[in-house]
Amino acid sequence: MEICPYLEETFKILGRSWNGLLINYLSRSEGHAAHFSDIKRDLKSITPRALSLKLAELSEWGLVEKKVISTTPLSIKYILTDKGYALSQAMIPIEHWAQEHLELKDDAI
């Protein structure tokens, strides 16, 4: 039996460090968008360099869009595209499964 190539491609995206968490984070943010500094503040253990690389990677896949807002100083937000939001919604059953079947260590809560 062959593995579905679409599922394989999806897990190439979600299987990389931080990608699933970033998609989930943006889906829960107001307007499905957030500033770099907000993401960095809330995902404490990601380095700024890794965050930049991951956001660029998600942008290349068409899941996240970088939006420059003309303010003084300039403001940049990262926004889930429709494609990225659809993927975030597909992840909800996985989140429910995890809540039912996994035990978190005390330091993860």
Side-chain angles (χ1 to χ4, degrees), residues 61-95:
W61 275 314
L63 300 170
V64 171
E65 178 184 334
K66 180 180 179 178
K67 184 171 185 171
V68 179
I69 302 162
S70 297
T71 58
T72 306
L74 281 179
S75 178
I76 298 173
K77 280 193 171 188
Y78 293 88
I79 303 168
L80 278 182
T81 62
D82 290 341
K83 184 176 166 181
Y85 182 74
L87 180 55
S88 76
Q89 296 307 288
M91 292 166 49
I92 291 172
I94 296 170
E95 184 177 358

Side-chain angles (χ1 to χ4, degrees), residues 1 9 11 27 33 40 42 45 80-81 93 95 100 104:
M1 176 189 325
E9 281 301 305
F11 276 96
S27 75
K40 175 63 190 103
D42 294 335
S45 57
L80 278 182
T81 62
E95 184 177 358
E100 280 187 40
L104 297 180

